[in-house]
Amino acid sequence: MTDSGLTLHTDKYQINMMYAHWKNGTADTGAVFEAYFRKLPFGNGYAVFAGLERIVNYIRELRFNEQELRYLAEQEERYEPAFLELLRQFQFKGTLYSAEEGAIVFPNEPLIRVEGTVFETQLVETALLNFMNYQTLIATKASRIVQVAAGDTLLEFGTRRAQEADAAVWGARATYIAGFHATSNLHAGMLFGIPTKGTHAHSWVQGHDSEEEAFLNYAKALPDQVTLLIDTYDTLKSGLNNAIKTAHWLESIGKRMSAVRLDSGDLAYLSKEARKRLDAAGLPYVSIVASNDLDETLIFNLKAQGAKIDTWGVGTQLITAADQPSLGGVYKLTARERDGEWIPVIKLSNNPEKVSTPGRKEVYRIVDRSTGLAEADYISLNGEDEMVRGEPLRLFDPVHPYISRVVTDYEALPLLVRVIDKGELVYKLPSLEQIRAFHQRELARFKPEVQRKLNPELYAIHLSEKAWQLKMDLIQNSKR
């Protein structure tokens, strides 16, 4: 999927600020922005970072074409022709640091850092947040479902309910990162190499004189991939009986039916009855697929009821993140250039959770060497290195700084990697299978208590003493 032509996939005020900087002679002033989110979605204990590949492709394709420039020339702001000519020559020459896709991430820590001129760093804000927010949200929702499915097969079925084509395709990719096994979306399968799965619709059954005929004709057409939807008329009295007949016919020609699919009714009861009757008919190899507005809560409850479901088709609730349709990630200026030096800046607010942390920062995952488990994430100012050297590290609660502890036997793993350096891609984008495997390794670093769906343990995010003091100093200075 190409990301060319997305240069105006931005809010108008970005162009207005770029124009104002140009008019005031400050367009080339250095700026540092950080993208992060303030609150974990779905009441989860962690989030799954996704969206980097699309962000990289978007930035590398950033060009103002003639159609876009003509459109800007027609705007009520009446941008000067010299400004539009500058846009015609535009290329992103900044530097981008990012968490890797599939990483486990937490609130209020930088997930992406963009450095460059204020002209270019301002332009990329809207699209960067759009891609990061949506894909991270869906990957996190998918990870919750993977946790409760506990090894069952998971199919992403959300395309027809997604908010347009791009959401369906990139959403399918995000679910695969988090551990889903396949998607129904062929476009996503072709673009990203995700396995694809599909059965048939109720209309296939309705389009025949009988359900038995419909099943048999389908099996004759696709004898190696037969999954039959058995709830068009009556699941147990009609659909299951006809599916069993079809399965026996397949056996007669040396084939095996894959599964039956339940799409309505009491899925716990129906799956248990279907399992009994399939086994009694000598068909223990026929698995049971369930769909019908499933999410992690329904799957958790169905499994608690002893449902005999092997594969879950999850659509609307996943691809739309129905219970929380926005991540709420933000992009904040943390430092600006003045006389060749980086000056930290802060955003204050009457809402304490919206006060930003100033300065150019790094993020480290503090891993206990004795257990291999993540103890906390540590946010430091650029240039601090005591954690890299393995020196004793004081971790304190940034809200209640009197609560602290010292860690000694640890490894500090950097969360952010350099992806684009002065406009050039310096990071090898991993394959989707590599991202998926990386995500599983990341999860293994965290205690089950952090990963659980209900009442997860709060994972600690700490500021270095210097970063915390800088924040306190800027807050006090602003009051003066």
Side-chain angles (χ1 to χ4, degrees), residues 414-426:
L415 185 68
L416 303 180
V417 298
R418 190 184 310 218
V419 177
I420 295 173
D421 186 24
K422 298 178 182 176
E424 297 296 324
L425 182 64
V426 294

Side-chain angles (χ1 to χ4, degrees), residues 141-403:
K141 180 73 170 176
S143 186
R144 284 169 61 78
I145 296 169
V146 170
Q147 294 292 328
V148 301
D152 294 345
T153 300
L154 289 166
L155 310 178
E156 184 278 311
F157 278 178
T159 295
R160 62 188 61 195
R161 302 286 173 76
Q163 283 89 345
E164 248 288 342
D166 277 9
V169 170
W170 289 97
R173 181 181 180 277
T175 68
Y176 192 67
I177 287 172
F180 268 60
H181 299 89
T183 178
S184 65
N185 189 297
L186 285 172
H187 194 192
M190 181 183 72
L191 288 173
F192 307 125
I194 304 172
T196 57
K197 294 289 183 182
T199 57
H200 65 77
H202 293 107
S203 60
W204 174 261
V205 178
Q206 293 170 288
H208 289 77
D209 291 336
S210 71
E211 188 176 53
E212 183 178 357
E213 177 190 34
F215 286 176
L216 188 59
N217 284 348
Y218 190 80
K220 289 177 179 177
L222 295 160
D224 296 311
Q225 295 293 332
V226 181
T227 295
L228 299 175
L229 181 59
I230 63 175
D231 71 334
T232 303
Y233 300 126
D234 188 296
T235 300
L236 297 179
K237 292 180 181 179
S238 171
L240 184 59
N241 291 337
N242 287 321
I244 289 171
K245 291 178 186 177
T246 305
H248 286 151
W249 177 82
L250 282 165
E251 287 183 335
S252 74
I253 63 168
K255 303 289 184 180
R256 282 189 164 194
M257 190 163 79
S258 298
V260 296
R261 178 178 157 215
L262 305 170
D263 191 45
S264 60
D266 186 333
L267 296 179
Y269 168 73
L270 292 173
S271 66
K272 286 186 279 190
E273 288 298 309
R275 184 74 274 154
K276 285 180 194 174
R277 289 166 59 176
L278 287 167
D279 290 351
L283 302 168
Y285 59 83
V286 175
S287 62
I288 297 173
V289 180
S291 50
N292 190 26
D293 275 347
L294 297 173
D295 64 6
E296 63 270 39
T297 300
L298 276 172
I299 293 172
F300 181 84
N301 289 336
L302 285 166
K303 290 176 79 69
Q305 294 171 55
K308 299 298 183 181
I309 295 168
D310 308 291
T311 298
W312 307 86
V314 190
T316 304
Q317 303 298 316
L318 168 61
I319 206 69
T320 64
D323 47 339
Q324 186 178 325
S326 175
L327 180 65
V330 296
Y331 184 84
K332 297 300 179 187
L333 183 70
T334 62
R336 62 187 180 88
E337 185 185 17
R338 188 174 68 197
D339 299 329
E341 294 185 7
W342 289 113
I343 307 301
V345 298
I346 192 169
K347 174 195 176 293
L348 298 181
S349 172
N350 289 328
N351 300 108
E353 70 277 6
K354 289 190 173 185
V355 176
S356 65
T357 301
R360 299 170 70 219
K361 297 182 291 297
E362 300 289 348
V363 188
Y364 293 90
R365 185 143 292 157
I366 307 303
V367 177
D368 187 321
R369 289 186 186 276
S370 64
T371 64
L373 296 176
E375 288 285 305
D377 280 6
Y378 186 77
I379 303 172
S380 65
L381 296 178
N382 192 269
E384 293 189 74
D385 63 356
E386 62 270 21
M387 76 295 295
V388 177
R389 297 196 306 270
E391 295 180 3
L393 203 62
R394 179 173 174 250
L395 305 179
F396 66 93
D397 187 322
V399 179
H400 307 289
Y402 59 88
I403 301 175

